[in-house]
Structure formats: structure tokens, C-alpha cells
């Protein structure tokens, strides 16, 4: 965790979420799966006027002792989930007059029986008096949403899915909910995009998930298999293109928002900038070089570590781009103590010597260029010789005027993407500068002979171990946003590589006399064809690994 005094924003405690539940009622229409949505009151404290699924807060009465004669549960429905399940059933009845219940004969409750119940009186006693059993056993887990930290009112909401009882017609209470409508997820999203159907972020993302299902049977069968929420999300918000933008944990900007605004402050700008540095902490800045492209994404990230009273280390100065190098110089006020190149590729290292010369021309102390020299396997465009070669495990320190060490960067030699690749750990804060070894939004290319898949996977495992020993939470890659939950990010990347390798092995077994052009069509059929020339390099690295590096 970044040291508290070096965080960008003062810490504050977000509001505690209130437990709540909602149920997505589904049926099949002419266009396939349909969901029941309703419009919230324009005077509601939370999401006024938004279209939602029926639901609300979990009340004290929802915490009933089990078993209860008027409630049917499935054996696998955990006792801890039962208040949420009961709240979802109750709120559905109170808001829309739809009752998930069976009569004494085990049939869905008749519409006239539902109409005779009082929607504003306690539900369980009414059901018990009429011999009805609430069909909580028909609900399946869909997701768990926790309201964003930046919002003043927050809920921890269990999302369930259930079939619409036959014969019943939803009728809004016209107090909390209005205008119930059956709609396909696709149409709802289209109307939302056109501005005709206002919705909050979790509703939008839930609909995006639901549109994968062709009919209600497939959805209900899938949800019935889950003993708990298949995924939980507490989104984070930032600014993108001048508007609030929210993101789930698996999306690229999430980790950066967790680093810069850990308590949910709505403050961080996510637009890629090449004209000025972006602060990630008080002592860490990112300046992205103006070299966007298919292989570099938004551009190569140069990182500045340090403060005015310690000087700075520049990590990956990028290409020899004079305007970019001048911005690096200006952002550090020319006080650069070292220039470190994570490896020798042409979008990372060529700016090192010109930046060094810029310091000299300004009469500042000349910082050494540090890194590992390129080897004989490197391509001619990746030739690199540092002023001094770094040793694995070496520590680079930035100190105050009295000699107090303020920031410590430890070197980790991580060959794989390139033979001379290294990563840096900012020890005091648990930050990993990963160069090209780990990227956000894509997997790095392993290009033999300088790239080696065995070495790459071994380096990944080393970085995963470093997450534990150094309490690394965030990864700052050379391309893309900051990655959060560093241990899981590395585990997912390692698993992805092995899954790809298993697919390649099957292709080789099926086409043993094929060549790279044939193999890439089958092994990377989930990748756009225009990327196959690049994918062939990593494919070759996997083939060499599978064949024991035999030619």
C-alpha cells in the first residue's frame, strides 16, 4: 500500500453499504429472453427516475428462523443468504404485486389470491394464513453488486433471477415504482444508449451479461448451479472524455482508480495524455510517449519516481522523441539521479542517452543510464549498452539531503520478453514497474531467440512470489493503465499463457507437418487476423518450448 502521506488524496471512510436484494424476473417473448423492469420514483433518494429491477433493503423481518412453514428453500441455499432471498421475494410483491409463491397443492399461486393480499402488510403471516409457501427455492444467484465508494448512499445488493409466475400481471405500487415493462436486454441497452431509458451502472452491466442468453431456461439453469454469487463487483469511478465513467474489477482502468483514489474519490482523469505527466501518487508520475500503435497501445509509459527533495529516477525514457524527453526533464526540474531502461527495445531505451545529454546541456548533474546490455540474440534495432549494468537484487535509493533513504527500487532480472529485461519494485509502497513483462490490455510478445517462453513463465512465477514477499498490490506496466490486485493479475496471465500453449499443443498434434502460417490460424483463431504476424512470434516461442527448444 502506498504510504499514507504520499497518497494523492486525504483518506476518508466511504459510507457503509446497506444490505439489499433484487430479483430479475424473466420470461420468453417473441425475441427471446425478456426481463421485467420498472421506473423508480423521481423523488427517490437513490437513483431517482432510473429503470431498475424490483428490490430493496433487507428488513429486520427478513431475518426469519429456518425452517419456516411458509418458505420453501433449496438445500444448497445457504442460511446466510436467506434474508436476501426473502427480501427479494417480498420487495417484488410490495413494489409490483408479483408473488413468487405456491398454494397448498404445490401450484403457482392464482392471480385472484395474490390480488386479495395486502401489499403493505407483513407478507409471511398472510401467506401462512392462506396456506401459501413463498417460492424462494426458485431464485438463483446472478451477482452481487456493492455501490461505488464515491456515492453518498450505498447498498450491498444480492442480485437473483427467477421465472415470472404464470398468470400474474405486474402492477406498480405508484409510490416507489412506476411503469413496469417487459423488455429484452438488447432493446433495453439500445434505449439506454439513446437516452430513453435511464439506468444506473449495475443495471447496465447486468443487462450486458443477460443478453448472452437465448432464453430464460438457459439463464435459470445456469443461475441455479451457483451456491453463491458467481461474481461480486464494487465499481470505481473516474473521469473519461469529460464525463463520469465507472468500471468493474476486470476492466483496464480499475486498478489505476484503486491506486489513485482508494477510498472512491471521484478525481482521477483517465484520458491518455502525452503533453503532461499524470500523478499516480505524490512521488510517482507517468508520462506517456506520443508513440501509440498496435504494439504500444496508447504509447510507452515513462515513470518518474521521486520528490523535489530526493531527486528522481526515470524508468523507461522511451523513444528518442525530443518533446517527450523535454517534458521528462521539465517534470523533474532536471534533477534526475538515474535513468533506468527495463530492456532494450526501440520504444523503451533510445531516449536514455538524449535525456542524459539534455541534463548535461542544462548544467545539471549527469545521471547514469542503467539497465542490462542487450545480448547477441537481440535484433539490431534493440542494441543497448548502459553506463552501468544493474545486478539482480540491487537496490537504487533516493535520499533526502541528510542521507535518509526515502525511496528504494529493487532490481529483478526477468528475462522472457527480452533476454535483458528487468522489473523494479518500489519496496516502501509495494509497487511493481513491470516494463513489457506484464501489460494491461494485451499479452506481451515473446519473440525468439531473444524472447524465451520458458524464461518468461519462470519470471512470471518469480514476480508472483515477490507479490507475497514485498506485499505488491499494483503493477505499473510500460503500456496501459495501472493493474490492481497484482497477485491475481499475474496468476491469470500465467494461466492464460498455459491455456494458449495447451491449444497450440492440440493444433500441433492435429497438424504435425504444418507451418507457422497454418498453426497460427488454428491456435489464434480468437485473435483478429491482422495480429497473426505478431502472434506467430509468440507461437514460435511456445513451439520451441513444447519441443524442448529443438529446431
Amino acid at each position: 500500500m502506498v504510504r499514507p502521506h504520499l497518497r494523492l488524496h486525504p483518506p476518508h471512510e466511504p459510507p457503509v453499504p446497506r444490505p439489499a436484494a433484487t430479483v430479475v424476473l424473466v420470461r420468453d417473448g417473441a425475441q427471446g429472453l425478456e426481463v421485467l423492469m420498472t421506473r423508480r420514483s423521481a423523488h427517490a433518494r437513490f437513483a431517482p427516475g432510473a429503470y431498475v429491477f424490483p428490490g430493496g433493503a433487507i428488513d429486520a423481518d427478513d431475518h426469519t428462523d429456518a425452517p419456516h412453514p411458509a418458505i420453501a428453500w433449496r438445500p444448497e441455499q445457504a442460511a446466510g443468504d436467506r434474508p436476501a432471498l426473502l427480501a427479494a421475494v417480498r420487495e417484488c410483491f410490495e413494489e409490483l404485486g408479483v408473488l413468487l409463491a405456491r398454494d397448498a397443492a404445490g401450484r403457482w399461486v392464482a392471480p385472484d389470491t395474490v390480488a386479495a393480499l395486502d401489499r403493505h402488510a407483513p407478507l409471511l403471516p398472510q401467506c401462512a394464513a392462506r396456506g401459501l409457501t413463498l417460492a424462494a427455492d426458485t431464485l438463483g444467484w446472478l451477482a452481487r453488486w456493492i455501490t461505488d465508494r464515491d456515492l453518498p448512499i450505498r447498498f450491498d445488493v444480492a442480485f437473483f433471477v427467477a421465472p415470472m409466475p404464470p398468470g400474474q400481471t405486474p402492477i406498480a405500487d405508484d409510490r416507489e415504482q412506476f411503469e413496469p415493462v417487459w423488455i429484452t436486454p438488447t432493446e433495453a441497452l439500445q434505449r439506454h444508449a439513446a437516452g430513453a431509458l435511464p439506468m444506473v451502472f449495475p443495471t447496465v452491466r447486468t443487462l450486458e451479461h443477460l443478453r448472452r442468453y437465448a432464453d430464460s431456461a438457459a439463464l435459470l439453469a445456469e443461475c441455479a448451479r451457483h451456491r453463491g454469487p458467481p461474481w461480486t463487483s464494487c465499481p470505481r469511478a473516474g473521469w473519461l472524455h469529460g464525463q463520469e465513467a465507472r468500471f468493474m474489477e476486470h476492466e483496464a482502468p480499475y486498478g489505476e482508480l484503486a491506486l489513485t483514489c482508494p477510498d472512491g474519490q471521484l478525481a482521477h482523469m483517465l484520458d491518455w495524455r502525452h503533453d503532461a505527466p499524470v500523478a499516480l501518487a505524490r512521488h510517482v508520475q507517468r508520462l506517456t510517449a506520443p508513440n501509440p500503435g498496435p504494439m504500444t497501445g496508447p504509447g510507452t509509459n515513462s515513470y518518474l519516481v521521486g520528490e523535489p527533495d530526493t531527486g528522481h529516477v526515470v524508468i523507461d525514457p522511451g523513444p528518442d522523441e525530443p518533446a517527450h524527453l523535454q517534458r521528462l526533464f521539465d517534470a523533474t526540474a532536471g534533477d534526475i539521479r538515474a535513468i533506468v531502461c527495463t530492456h532494450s527495445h526501440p520504444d523503451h531505451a533510445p531516449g536514455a542517452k538524449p535525456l542524459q545529454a539534455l541534463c548535461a546541456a542544462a548544467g545539471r548533474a549527469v545521471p547514469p543510464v542503467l539497465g542490462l546490455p542487450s545480448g547477441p540474440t537481440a535484433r539490431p534495432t534493440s542494441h543497448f549498452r548502459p553506463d552501468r549494468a544493474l545486478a539482480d537484487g540491487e537496490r537504487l535509493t533516493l535520499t533526502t539531503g541528510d542521507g535518509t533513504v526515502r525511496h528504494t527500487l529493487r532490481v529483478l532480472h526477468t528475462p522472457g520478453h527480452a533476454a535483458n529485461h528487468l522489473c523494479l519494485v518500489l519496496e516502501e509502497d509495494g509497487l511493481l514497474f513491470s516494463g513489457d513483462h506484464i501489460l494491461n490490455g494485451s499479452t506481451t510478445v515473446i519473440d525468439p531467440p531473444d524472447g524465451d517462453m520458458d524464461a518468461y513463465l519462470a519470471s512470471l512465477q518469480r514476480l508472483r512470489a515477490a507479490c507475497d514477499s514485498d506485499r505488491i498490490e499494483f503493477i505499473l506496466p510500460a503500456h496501459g493503465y495501472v493493474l490492481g490486485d497484482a497477485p491475481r493479475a499475474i496468476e491469470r496471465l500465467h494461466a492464460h499463457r498455459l491455456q494458449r500453449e495447451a491449444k497450440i499443443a492440440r493444433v500441433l498434434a492435429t497438424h504435425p507437418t504444418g507451418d507457422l502460417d497454418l498453426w497460427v490460424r488454428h491456435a489464434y483463431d480468437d485473435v483478429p487476423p491482422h495480429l497473426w504476424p505478431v502472434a506467430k512470434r509468440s507461437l514460435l516461442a511456445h513451439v520451441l518450448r513444447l519441443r524442448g527448444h529443438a529446431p
Side-chain angles (χ1 to χ4, degrees):
M1 177 62 69
V2 172
R3 287 163 281 179
H5 70 283
L6 292 172
R7 287 170 49 169
L8 291 176
H9 308 287
H12 78 89
E13 193 67 29
V16 177
R18 182 178 177 183
T22 192
V23 59
V24 182
L25 292 172
V26 298
R27 71 179 190 184
D28 293 319
Q31 303 300 318
L33 175 69
E34 293 182 342
V35 299
L36 181 59
M37 302 189 71
T38 180
R39 179 174 60 82
R40 286 178 60 80
S41 167
H43 304 292
R45 293 179 63 212
F46 182 79
Y51 277 80
V52 296
F53 309 112
I58 299 174
D59 292 342
D61 290 345
D62 298 321
H63 293 266
T64 60
D65 294 332
H68 191 289
I71 311 173
W73 309 106
R74 292 197 309 276
E76 64 270 20
Q77 288 175 320
D81 296 335
R82 288 176 177 177
L85 289 159
L86 184 54
V89 173
R90 175 184 54 77
E91 288 281 348
C92 184
F93 172 67
E94 292 176 357
E95 293 183 345
L96 295 180
V98 175
L99 183 60
L100 294 161
R102 302 184 184 92
D103 62 19
R107 299 167 302 202
W108 282 106
V109 63
D112 57 345
T113 303
V114 178
L117 299 176
D118 185 351
R119 289 164 65 172
H120 306 300
L123 179 59
L124 271 178
Q126 296 185 79
C127 290
R130 291 167 172 78
L132 304 180
T133 303
L134 295 181
D137 56 343
T138 63
L139 274 67
W141 267 106
L142 184 60
R144 179 186 174 203
W145 284 96
I146 303 171
T147 309
D148 317 24
R149 297 165 181 83
D150 63 293
L151 297 177
I153 302 174
R154 303 182 66 213
F155 294 93
D156 185 341
V157 189
F159 271 60
F160 301 110
V161 64
M164 177 66 185
Q168 297 189 40
T169 300
I171 302 173
D173 62 6
D174 288 341
R175 297 195 308 182
E176 295 184 52
Q177 305 293 349
F178 300 82
E179 303 173 11
V181 58
W182 285 102
I183 192 169
T184 68
T186 297
E187 182 185 354
L189 291 168
Q190 290 171 344
R191 291 179 62 186
H192 173 69
L197 209 67
M199 291 187 283
V200 294
F201 182 83
T203 308
V204 173
R205 290 306 173 89
T206 299
L207 289 167
E208 289 174 348
H209 175 75
L210 292 175
R211 67 179 172 186
R212 308 174 193 176
Y213 295 90
D215 54 41
S216 60
L219 172 62
L220 292 166
E222 174 67 24
C223 293
R225 286 196 287 268
H226 300 304
R227 291 179 175 268
W231 45 270
T232 298
S233 180
C234 181
R236 290 185 176 275
W239 294 96
L240 187 63
H241 309 314
Q243 297 181 326
E244 290 184 23
R246 300 187 183 275
F247 301 92
M248 295 174 63
E249 287 76 357
H250 68 280
E251 296 178 296
Y254 191 90
E256 182 152 324
L257 294 171
L259 173 62
T260 58
C261 305
D263 299 328
Q265 301 92 339
L266 183 55
H268 190 65
M269 302 293 179
L270 291 164
D271 299 280
W272 285 103
R273 299 193 62 178
H274 306 288
D275 61 331
V278 172
L280 302 174
R282 293 187 182 276
H283 61 313
V284 179
Q285 301 176 79
R286 178 185 64 217
L287 186 56
T288 304
N291 62 333
M295 300 303 297
T296 57
T300 302
N301 294 330
S302 300
Y303 291 101
L304 312 175
V305 178
E307 302 172 84
D309 59 344
T310 65
H312 301 79
V313 171
V314 175
I315 300 173
D316 281 337
D320 184 2
E321 215 299 317
H324 176 66
L325 300 177
Q326 183 65 52
R327 285 190 282 268
L328 289 174
F329 180 87
D330 293 342
T332 60
D335 190 358
I336 300 175
R337 306 299 172 88
I339 303 169
V340 180
C341 297
T342 61
H343 60 296
S344 53
H345 287 172
D347 59 322
H348 288 258
K353 290 295 185 179
L355 179 59
Q356 185 185 57
L358 197 60
C359 294
R364 306 304 300 261
V366 178
V369 174
L370 307 177
L372 294 173
S374 52
T377 54
R379 294 182 180 273
T381 54
S382 296
H383 178 76
F384 174 70
R385 285 290 179 272
D387 295 331
R388 181 173 69 80
L390 292 170
D392 184 49
E394 179 179 348
R395 287 176 168 83
L396 305 175
T397 60
L398 288 171
T399 61
T400 58
D402 62 3
T404 301
V405 174
R406 184 75 63 78
H407 312 298
T408 307
L409 289 162
R410 189 173 82 255
V411 177
L412 297 177
H413 182 207
T414 52
H417 175 65
N420 68 334
H421 195 286
L422 58 84
C423 296
L424 298 165
V425 177
L426 185 52
E427 294 184 328
E428 291 86 355
D429 303 297
L431 301 180
L432 172 66
F433 297 89
S434 65
D436 275 359
H437 204 82
I438 301 170
L439 307 177
N440 189 343
S442 63
T443 54
T444 194
V445 176
I446 310 301
D447 184 10
D450 203 47
D452 182 280
M453 191 60 72
D454 264 336
Y456 179 78
L457 293 172
S459 294
L460 271 184
Q461 291 177 316
R462 185 184 186 194
L463 293 177
R464 174 60 185 86
C467 289
D468 292 337
S469 60
D470 290 274
R471 298 182 180 179
I472 295 171
E473 297 184 35
F474 296 98
I475 300 170
L476 286 68
H479 305 283
Y481 294 114
V482 174
L483 285 151
D485 194 3
R488 305 292 87 75
I490 295 173
E491 289 169 3
R492 288 192 296 269
L493 179 56
H494 190 269
H496 171 76
R497 286 289 190 178
L498 293 182
Q499 289 167 0
R500 179 70 71 185
E501 185 164 283
K503 187 175 182 179
I504 291 169
R506 293 192 295 270
V507 170
L508 294 179
T510 306
H511 305 280
T513 60
D515 57 14
L516 290 176
D517 289 325
L518 173 66
W519 294 334
V520 77
R521 290 201 301 273
H522 294 280
Y524 287 81
D525 56 357
D526 56 336
V527 173
H530 72 272
L531 294 178
W532 286 353
V534 175
K536 280 197 296 186
R537 305 311 302 164
S538 290
L539 169 62
L540 175 60
H542 279 294
V543 171
L544 293 174
R545 173 176 145 86
L546 288 166
R547 294 181 171 177
H549 292 79

